Amino acid sequence: MSAGASALEAAVERVLWDEAAIRRRVRELGAQISRDYQDLLGDALVENPPLAVGIFRGAIVFLADLMRAMPIPLECDYVQLYSYGKGSEAGEIQLLRDLGTPAQGRHILLVEDIVDTGQTLHFLCEHLEARGAASLKICALIDKKPRRRAKIPLDYVGFVLEEDAFVVGYGLDYAERYRNLPYVAVLKPEAIAS
Ligand code: 5GP
């Protein structure tokens, strides 16, 4: 292993979901979501395909894999928010980048990396509903339950996290690092600056 690779992995305390577990779960989610849209929309799926909207940057990796696990007509877009900034403390939510596609009449699948307090999704659901989306579903890779404040109906969840741990990897960062880890992990305390 190179010095760079070992420095990256040396910060990891424990792996919660490894590559194989994520691959399996993303495939299951993709198949289930596709079946549900086929049942919901029937032939209209071809004329008005669902719009998968990734919440960047955290959902970059998940969106890319989930889309390829959905064998139906599909479009994609992204929004970018500022909430955590540097580090692990929650901050204010700002919309840095809105949809490039009009939401009016679209069947939107919001793709989120992790739901914590629920504030981000609460903000985005209101934003998209005000723009006339025909339907709105939410798919979150991780449902982190302990700090939930806003009641958000999660239609699809990859994994449930019952502990209040700050996780990284598979798109999730700490101070913009660790997004490229292929698994989801908890960092060692010394890797997190106080
Ligand atoms: P919420 O608005 O639900 O409190 O927070 C959602 C956002 O906070 C996520 O999209 C993610 O960017 C960030 N976040 C929440 N928990 C974690 C975590 O454990 N690790 C990382 N890397 N980001 C988190």
Side-chain angles (χ1 to χ4, degrees):
M1 199 187 289
S2 72
S6 61
L8 182 72
E9 303 232 322
V12 170
E13 183 177 85
R14 64 200 152 95
V15 174
L16 296 181
W17 298 288
D18 66 13
E19 273 187 88
I22 295 173
R23 197 177 315 116
R24 224 175 14 248
R25 191 68 191 114
V26 170
R27 259 194 232 129
E28 287 170 1
L29 285 173
Q32 188 190 342
I33 297 169
S34 302
R35 274 197 305 273
D36 289 353
Y37 273 122
Q38 276 164 333
D39 291 348
L40 180 74
L41 302 176
D43 293 342
L45 191 74
V46 179
E47 285 296 310
N48 186 14
L51 180 65
V53 175
I55 305 175
F56 279 15
R57 297 174 193 144
I60 287 180
V61 180
F62 182 37
L63 178 67
D65 285 349
L66 185 67
M67 283 172 58
R68 286 175 291 175
M70 292 178 61
I72 56 169
L74 185 70
E75 293 178 17
C76 77
D77 201 342
Y78 71 97
V79 291
Q80 191 167 6
L81 299 170
Y82 177 87
S83 55
Y84 265 64
K86 274 187 142 220
S88 59
E89 288 306 310
E92 263 181 40
I93 299 169
Q94 288 172 37
L95 191 61
L96 295 183
R97 197 261 184 195
D98 204 347
L99 283 182
T101 320
Q104 177 73 36
R106 300 304 303 265
H107 297 282
I108 294 182
L109 175 69
L110 268 180
V111 180
E112 172 68 309
D113 51 0
I114 184 166
V115 188
D116 184 10
T117 63
Q119 306 279 78
T120 303
L121 282 173
H122 180 73
F123 172 91
L124 265 180
C125 288
E126 284 195 340
H127 178 78
L128 293 171
E129 273 159 8
R131 276 160 182 72
S135 72
L136 193 54
K137 287 174 183 267
I138 299 172
C139 177
L141 178 71
I142 302 167
D143 178 3
K144 182 159 93 176
K145 291 185 174 286
R147 301 199 314 156
R148 189 67 37 82
R149 289 208 295 270
K151 201 171 180 313
I152 301 288
L154 300 179
D155 300 279
Y156 307 98
V157 168
F159 303 99
V160 173
L161 185 57
E162 298 286 359
E163 58 180 308
D164 185 9
F166 190 81
V167 301
V168 297
Y170 197 70
L172 287 150
D173 75 310
Y174 171 68
E176 289 309 322
R177 300 205 180 163
Y178 308 105
R179 294 191 198 276
N180 54 326
L181 286 173
Y183 46 77
V184 175
V186 176
L187 292 178
K188 289 177 182 160
E190 58 267 33
I192 299 180
S194 53

